[in-house]
Amino acid sequence: MTLMATTGSLRASAVLTAFFGLTLPLMPVQALLLRVSDKAARRFPHWYHRQVCRLLGVRLSIEGTVAKGAPVLLICNHTSWLDIPVLSALAPVSFVAKLEVGGWPFVSALARLQRSVFVDRTRRLAAGDAANEITKRLRQGDTIVLFAEGTSSDGNRVLPFKTSLFGAVAGATMPAADQVVVQTAAVVYTHIHGVPVTRAERPRLGWYGDMEMTSHAWGVLKSGSITVTIKVSPPVPLAEFKDRKDLALKSERAVRRDVLAILRGRSDSDLVPVEPSEEARRAKLMVPVRKSEKWT
């Protein structure tokens, strides 16, 4: 084993030990807060994940802010399990997660403590229950994170957004829609040890396909310090969107634009390629977004 590999393994072991040393004592604290204070139960995971990011060596470079004092649907691209602590460190949030996450050892406990909403995409009735829960949370003023691609990518592309995932919150079907605002967050892992991540290296941080989580997490922990850049769009009232397809199309366009903007300082060969949405492919046309326009 080389010196670099040995150093990386030692670092990963130290980070993992510190993570469990922080997390295990705090899990019953959050469980208690869920019973006694909704406000504290929202904010405590935000503080906790900021500490987790420090332990992992993840540095956040943030442009924009998540709106306060209003229910927010935060629509994001999805690259890695790292997105969870990163976005939780950005603001007090809860996630919409696939049902399978609820069955993962330990991870499921953390997800439930953060009040995640689990969606069974194979059953319509279950999806309806999840939609009701999302609606309820937004009415309570929560910030709900939706990974609109429906899965994670290798970090070199933004996958088409799935319009079905927007059904719970789109248009006039959502009670008090005039109070809900929509924001997008483009999340890009840009540097390792201060060195720009190239297109070939980016999948090292992405967790996608049939990758095994334990080995991938170990590799990330061995890598060293990571810089993630997050660009948050200005809030737009949910009521301004005609329906779920309109919301999906415009938010997808905004995320693609902002992902490219984060990487624009690099050579053209390092820019993230984009894939047109389902609607755009059918129309065979992508409408360009002018700099003077709002994110929609």
Side-chain angles (χ1 to χ4, degrees):
M1 183 179 290
T2 65
L3 177 60
M4 183 176 294
T6 301
T7 302
S9 295
L10 289 173
R11 180 190 186 278
S13 297
V15 170
L16 203 57
T17 300
F19 169 77
F20 283 112
L22 172 72
T23 301
L24 294 178
L26 293 180
M27 292 175 71
V29 175
Q30 175 65 3
L32 177 63
L33 292 177
L34 287 171
R35 291 175 175 270
V36 301
S37 174
D38 288 342
K39 182 177 180 180
R42 289 192 193 105
R43 299 197 62 83
F44 188 68
H46 172 53
W47 174 87
Y48 160 76
H49 279 107
R50 292 181 74 86
Q51 313 316 309
V52 169
C53 284
R54 291 190 180 99
L55 285 178
L56 297 179
V58 176
R59 176 181 176 273
L60 278 65
S61 176
I62 303 169
E63 179 181 344
T65 58
V66 177
K68 297 179 180 179
V72 179
L73 179 66
L74 187 63
I75 303 170
C76 312
N77 60 309
H78 192 18
T79 300
S80 171
W81 54 269
L82 276 172
D83 297 343
I84 305 303
V86 163
L87 289 168
S88 294
L90 174 69
V93 301
S94 293
F95 294 89
V96 177
K98 59 185 180 181
L99 184 65
E100 293 92 324
V101 175
W104 294 352
F106 188 67
V107 173
S108 62
L110 294 178
R112 294 180 193 282
L113 286 172
Q114 196 160 355
R115 305 164 67 245
S116 296
V117 179
F118 298 102
V119 178
D120 184 354
R121 296 168 189 161
T122 65
R123 295 178 55 237
R124 288 189 177 182
L125 290 178
D129 292 340
N132 291 335
E133 180 63 19
I134 293 170
T135 299
K136 174 184 173 183
R137 295 287 192 79
L138 288 170
R139 293 181 70 179
Q140 291 174 346
D142 283 13
T143 295
I144 301 292
V145 173
L146 179 64
F147 293 122
E149 296 157 294
T151 187
S152 53
S153 74
D154 64 2
N156 279 321
R157 57 188 52 80
V158 176
L159 301 176
F161 283 10
K162 296 184 179 298
T163 59
S164 60
L165 297 177
F166 293 84
V169 291
T173 59
M174 167 68 195
D178 57 330
Q179 300 175 17
V180 179
V181 298
V182 179
Q183 293 182 267
T184 61
V187 181
V188 181
Y189 298 90
T190 54
H191 296 77
I192 298 178
H193 278 310
V195 178
V197 179
T198 66
R199 175 178 169 81
E201 294 171 329
R202 205 166 290 125
R204 282 176 55 191
L205 300 176
W207 180 57
Y208 58 97
D210 58 357
M211 286 183 174
E212 198 273 321
M213 184 174 183
T214 304
S215 59
H216 180 268
W218 184 255
V220 170
L221 295 181
K222 289 169 61 177
S223 298
S225 61
I226 297 167
T227 300
V228 56
T229 300
I230 309 168
K231 187 169 184 179
V232 183
S233 73
V236 176
L238 177 61
E240 288 193 11
F241 299 93
K242 293 182 293 186
D243 52 32
R244 63 184 175 87
K245 291 185 178 180
D246 185 46
L247 175 57
L249 180 62
K250 290 176 178 177
S251 59
E252 180 183 338
R253 187 181 296 159
V255 170
R256 292 184 188 281
R257 181 200 64 203
D258 289 344
V259 166
L260 285 170
I262 292 169
L263 296 172
R264 195 150 285 160
R266 305 195 187 176
S267 64
D268 290 343
S269 62
D270 281 340
L271 290 179
V272 176
V274 297
E275 299 176 2
S277 65
E278 297 171 10
E279 290 81 1
R281 283 199 299 273
R282 283 196 291 267
K284 296 183 180 180
L285 176 66
M286 277 292 286
V287 180
V289 179
R290 298 188 301 271
K291 290 184 177 180
S292 61
E293 292 180 325
K294 287 196 300 184
W295 68 267
T296 53

